[in-house]
């Protein structure tokens, strides 16, 4: 087993045990009637696969079983694997094209944004040989700035922060200038997840985007929406709002290791048509993996 498959298999334990493993076992037990199929569909919907994908999956497996009369578990596993894989697109290559490349991390508080900024900085250093720098653009919460500083130390990257309640756009502008001065080629900006009612979160994000485009040509190259897998359908509702208003280019699904709702990844593809770029599989610096559909599906079904 490769290292990457191992981390997907470990990280997806809950979703596998509570959802896809049950599916495989139920079908494998033979004795299937109409109720079993309804139950399977319900299990998939509970795992936040989304109603359309759950219905089409169950229908396809049902048809396969009827047509082939399969009794061999291996054949069925292979069919299920192919069907699940077909619901996902090919992996997207994460590119660093800017000078510097600016990455805006957006999402609601608690989704894992700050943690993911640190993990992404680590990943970019180890996999891309990049020189990242973190920008503390969530200036509305002092705790958020402190937490980003802790992650900066862990990932061994500089953190640019402003004074309390500084303008988030000004902090980003400073961070881009600092990157140019220090030869850093990536700026990862942690943005606010909730603002005081006077402010409008989406408007603030649009402002930060505009500042980014003035500070460096073509920026921001990536707007990554961080979604907490534990919150399932709620995260999907957030994603629709962010997609419409803040020009999201890709999704990072965090906390897959603590969630049985990993099926959400299928719903993101089917209902939002946005690429999942990375997944969070734990709380350590190295627990961020580029999303790999083959390993993801294998991790859902592996015994
Ligand atoms: P923010 O408010 O969006 O910046 O969220 P934080 O980065 O502060 O994260 C909120 C909580 O989620 C923290 O306790 C993190 O340790 C935890 N967390 C973030 N990503 C993951 C993950 O992939 N797996 C697990 N198990 N916990 C995570």
């Amino acid at each position: 087993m490769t290292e990457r498959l191992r981390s997907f298999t470990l990280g997806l334990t809950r979703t596998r045990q509570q959802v896809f493993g049950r599916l495989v076992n139920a079908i494998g037990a033979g004795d299937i009637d109409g109720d079993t199929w309804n139950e399977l569909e319900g299990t998939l919907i509970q795992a936040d696969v989304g109603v359309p994908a759950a219905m089409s999956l169950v229908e396809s497996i049902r048809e396969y079983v009827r047509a082939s009369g399969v009794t061999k578990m291996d054949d069925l596993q292979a069919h299920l694997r192919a069907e699940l894989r077909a619901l996902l697109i090919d992996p997207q290559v994460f590119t660093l094209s800017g000078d510097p490349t600016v990455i805006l991390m957006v999402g609601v508080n608690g989704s894992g944004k700050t943690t993911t900024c640190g993990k992404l900085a680590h990943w970019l250093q180890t996999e891309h040989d990049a020189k990242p720098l973190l920008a503390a653009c969530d200036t509305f919460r002092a705790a958020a700035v402190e937490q980003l500083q802790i992650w900066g130390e862990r990932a061994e990257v500089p953190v640019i922060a402003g004074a309390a309640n500084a303008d988030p756009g000004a902090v980003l502008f400073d961070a881009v200038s600092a990157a140019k001065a220090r030869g850093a080629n990536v700026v990862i900006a942690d943005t606010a997840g909730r603002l005081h009612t006077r402010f409008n979160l989406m408007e603030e994000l649009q402002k930060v985007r505009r500042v980014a485009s003035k500070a460096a040509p073509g920026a921001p190259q990536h707007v990554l929406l961080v979604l907490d897998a534990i919150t399932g359908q709620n995260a999907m509702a957030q994603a629709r709002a962010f997609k419409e208003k803040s020009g999201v280019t890709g999704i990072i699904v965090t906390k897959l290791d603590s969630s049985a709702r990993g099926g959400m990844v299928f719903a993101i593809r089917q209902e939002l048509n946005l690429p999942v770029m990375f997944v969070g599989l734990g709380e350590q610096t190295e627990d961020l993996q580029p999303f790999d559909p083959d390993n993801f599906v294998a991790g859902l079904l592996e015994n």
Side-chain angles (χ1 to χ4, degrees):
M1 194 186 273
T2 62
E3 202 47 52
R4 188 165 281 183
L5 176 56
R6 199 191 315 279
S7 39
F8 272 89
T9 307
L10 258 178
L12 289 166
T13 302
R14 290 196 193 203
T15 306
R16 178 175 61 255
Q17 285 176 346
Q18 291 177 39
V19 185
F20 291 90
R22 268 171 59 191
L23 191 96
V24 170
N25 289 340
I27 303 169
D31 205 17
I32 317 172
D33 57 22
D35 285 345
T36 319
W37 294 116
N38 288 339
E39 214 180 291
L40 290 178
E41 203 173 278
T43 309
L44 287 169
I45 292 169
Q46 264 172 35
D48 286 306
V49 166
V51 176
M55 284 173 68
S56 81
L57 259 180
V58 168
E59 190 45 43
S60 133
I61 303 165
R62 192 174 182 165
E63 190 48 47
Y64 180 75
V65 171
R66 190 167 21 202
S68 66
V70 276
T71 45
K72 277 208 356 244
M73 217 30 219
D74 286 353
D75 295 346
L76 212 119
Q77 278 250 23
H79 177 74
L80 183 57
R81 189 178 291 233
E83 287 290 307
L84 288 172
R85 178 62 186 83
L87 291 174
L88 300 169
I89 41 172
D90 287 339
Q92 307 288 302
V93 181
F94 193 77
T95 51
L96 298 178
S97 52
D99 184 25
T101 297
V102 177
I103 305 171
L104 295 187
M105 303 290 267
V106 302
V108 302
N109 285 347
S111 59
K113 256 190 327 291
T114 308
T115 304
T116 307
C117 287
K119 290 178 182 174
L120 185 60
H122 173 77
W123 183 83
L124 286 168
Q125 287 179 105
T126 43
E127 300 294 324
H128 272 272
D129 217 6
K131 259 190 95 182
L133 182 149
L134 299 176
C137 298
D138 181 358
T139 56
F140 294 84
R141 292 184 304 151
V145 177
E146 281 162 27
Q147 222 207 331
L148 193 71
Q149 270 154 347
I150 294 172
W151 273 103
E153 279 166 31
R154 276 188 202 148
E156 298 178 40
V157 293
V159 178
I160 304 299
N165 293 317
D167 177 57
V171 175
L172 182 62
F173 201 91
D174 284 351
V176 171
S177 308
K180 287 177 184 164
R182 298 179 189 197
N185 63 345
V186 190
V187 173
I188 304 172
D190 190 16
T191 66
R194 190 179 53 193
L195 299 181
H196 189 273
T197 43
R198 280 186 297 134
F199 295 94
N200 177 298
L201 174 59
M202 299 302 169
E203 267 170 27
E204 187 62 57
L205 285 175
Q206 278 165 8
K207 205 172 130 198
V208 173
R209 274 186 70 99
R210 282 196 298 275
V211 172
S213 70
K214 280 184 194 141
Q221 283 75 10
H222 300 278
V223 180
L224 299 176
L225 172 62
V226 179
L227 294 178
D228 176 345
I230 299 171
T231 62
Q233 279 303 314
N234 193 0
M236 293 295 294
Q238 290 159 18
R240 283 185 203 101
F242 275 95
K243 182 185 175 188
E244 198 187 323
K245 303 274 187 196
S246 64
V248 175
T249 58
I251 306 269
I252 301 183
V253 182
T254 60
K255 309 187 204 179
L256 273 177
D257 55 305
S258 324
S259 168
R261 298 172 180 274
M264 203 177 111
V265 167
F266 296 103
I268 291 171
R269 166 72 187 121
Q270 299 296 310
E271 294 169 33
L272 300 172
N273 200 21
L274 281 169
V276 175
M277 300 302 295
F278 294 92
V279 290
L281 297 164
E283 293 182 276
Q284 305 304 313
T285 321
E286 58 282 356
D287 291 335
L288 183 77
Q289 292 279 342
F291 179 67
D292 174 334
D294 292 321
N295 282 330
F296 181 77
V297 170
L300 287 176
L301 301 174
E302 204 74 37
N303 283 316

